[in-house]
Amino acid sequence: MSLAKPSFKKVILPHPAKDTLPTMYDLPSEIVGEPGLPDEFHLWQAQLCSETFCPANYESDRVFVATDLFLYYDPNHTTWYKRTDWFAVVGVSRFYEGRDLRMSYVIWQEEVRPIVAIEFLSPSTLDEDLGYSQGTGEPPTKWEVYEQILAIPYYVTFDRVSNELRIFKLEGGSYQLQTIDNSKFWIPELQLGIGLWRGEYRGLNRLWLRWYDQQENSIATNAERAELEHQRAEIERQQKELAQQQAQQERQQKELAQQQAQQESQRAELERQQKELAQQRAEQLAERLRQMGINPDEI
């Protein structure tokens, strides 16, 4: 890894010759002979970053995230590109010119640079991800592109072997290593934080890199949101079932009260009839006694 720090011309957007430069459709989106898709960890880790990247201050259709996508960064060298493990751009349409999927990200067309780039380190990529080139006309390293040419505000590296998370912030034209508090780092421009989380993703339990909100709650993945929605629906079903049971109990209690009231009414009616019958018998007996010449009041 060279200690020399070549100087590169930063991209000034928009480029004056934008209309004459190649577009996304003109530039390769894959190169024959280059390595194919990244390994499973790179795919899954990038997917986890994408699923949990939800800036609160941007509408979802104004956020673009990419994994292993060609990033064309220099209008003076239109064949130079970087395959960034993961990067995010805010304030642009989610789709190319609002209508198509991107095959690559061409900075002189888009005119908006990424706000954060992430590289998942491996021994074979350390020089490219963290070092400087010799400055002899060869393409610059990823570090140089992110720091000196595109001036991406935040650069994040994560080593899956050592689980080392490093976050660099562009300050004074150079990346400065930031202090990470409890494996988490807050990015105010996004109203999001990024940090390490131990848990299960796609069946694998390990330390993962993911985004979190202002309350330090991890942003839910698609599967987690689906599970939460399932749990919410199940709770609602149970609550509805409980409400139906309570309503049925109240109806039964009301019916019982009506039955008890009806029984009480019948009992009172029976007592009234018995009292009336007893009075009738007493009157009949008194009449017979009078017919026999006996005064019932003197008995």
Side-chain angles (χ1 to χ4, degrees):
M1 186 182 297
S2 173
L3 297 178
K5 183 178 179 181
S7 177
F8 295 93
K9 184 178 180 180
K10 286 186 179 179
V11 174
I12 305 299
L13 304 174
H15 192 271
K18 172 186 173 184
D19 294 338
T20 66
L21 292 170
T23 71
M24 177 188 77
Y25 299 110
D26 303 318
L27 296 166
S29 58
E30 58 183 2
I31 304 298
V32 176
E34 281 206 345
L37 293 174
D39 59 46
E40 279 191 311
F41 173 78
H42 278 67
L43 288 171
W44 291 3
Q45 177 59 91
Q47 184 178 14
L48 180 57
C49 287
S50 296
E51 286 189 53
T52 59
F53 185 75
C54 303
N57 50 341
Y58 288 92
E59 297 293 334
S60 60
D61 61 353
R62 302 294 296 172
V63 173
F64 173 67
V65 298
T67 300
D68 203 43
L69 194 75
F70 285 14
L71 172 60
Y72 287 92
Y73 54 86
D74 191 341
N76 299 309
H77 297 85
T78 57
T79 60
W80 287 2
Y81 65 89
K82 294 301 178 186
R83 289 176 65 171
T84 307
D85 285 340
W86 189 93
F87 68 90
V89 191
V90 293
V92 298
S93 172
R94 181 182 169 199
F95 301 107
Y96 177 70
E97 295 185 344
R99 65 177 185 273
D100 199 0
L101 294 174
R102 288 179 175 86
M103 297 182 291
S104 60
Y105 193 84
V106 183
I107 195 67
W108 55 83
Q109 273 200 293
E110 302 284 358
E111 299 184 354
V112 181
R113 70 198 70 217
I115 190 170
V116 59
I118 301 177
E119 295 293 341
F120 310 125
L121 302 181
S122 61
S124 63
T125 65
L126 285 179
D127 285 350
E128 171 71 10
D129 295 338
L130 296 173
Y132 294 103
S133 65
Q134 298 297 328
T136 57
E138 64 185 56
T141 64
K142 285 182 175 178
W143 175 281
E144 291 169 321
V145 170
Y146 302 159
E147 178 192 60
Q148 299 181 41
I149 298 177
L150 292 181
I152 296 176
Y154 295 93
Y155 179 33
V156 179
T157 65
F158 178 48
D159 189 326
R160 64 175 293 190
V161 177
S162 65
N163 290 321
E164 182 182 14
L165 171 63
R166 283 185 281 187
I167 298 176
F168 303 92
K169 183 179 180 181
L170 195 66
E171 296 176 338
S174 298
Y175 278 138
Q176 302 298 322
L177 183 63
Q178 302 296 295
T179 300
I180 302 176
D181 183 20
N182 194 27
S183 298
K184 292 182 177 181
F185 181 79
W186 183 253
I187 300 179
E189 295 92 330
L190 295 171
Q191 295 185 21
L192 279 179
I194 192 167
L196 295 180
W197 165 81
R198 177 169 292 280
E200 185 173 303
Y201 180 68
R202 295 177 66 90
L204 178 62
N205 192 302
R206 58 156 292 132
L207 274 176
W208 297 95
L209 187 64
R210 70 184 294 170
W211 298 92
Y212 64 91
D213 63 20
Q214 196 165 9
Q215 287 72 44
E216 297 194 358
N217 298 316
S218 296
I219 305 296
T221 65
N222 296 335
E224 289 168 344
R225 280 192 288 270
E227 178 61 23
L228 288 172
E229 179 61 25
H230 173 74
Q231 293 177 356
R232 185 191 63 79
E234 178 63 18
I235 290 173
E236 287 184 355
R237 185 194 65 79
Q238 293 176 354
Q239 290 176 337
K240 183 178 180 180
E241 184 176 305
L242 179 61
Q244 291 175 340
Q245 292 175 351
Q246 291 175 337
Q248 183 177 1
Q249 290 177 350
E250 290 176 357
R251 184 173 64 253
Q252 291 174 344
Q253 290 174 348
K254 184 177 180 180
E255 290 176 353
L256 179 61
Q258 290 175 341
Q259 291 175 356
Q260 291 175 339
Q262 184 176 3
Q263 290 175 352
E264 180 63 24
S265 175
Q266 292 174 347
R267 186 188 64 78
E269 177 63 19
L270 179 61
E271 288 181 354
R272 186 192 65 76
Q273 292 175 355
Q274 289 175 341
K275 184 176 180 180
E276 183 176 313
L277 180 60
Q279 185 176 359
Q280 290 176 354
R281 288 177 177 175
E283 291 178 352
Q284 291 175 354
L285 179 59
E287 181 61 27
R288 289 178 184 174
L289 289 173
R290 290 189 189 95
Q291 291 176 356
M292 295 171 60
I294 302 173
N295 185 358
D297 296 332
E298 296 178 351
I299 296 176

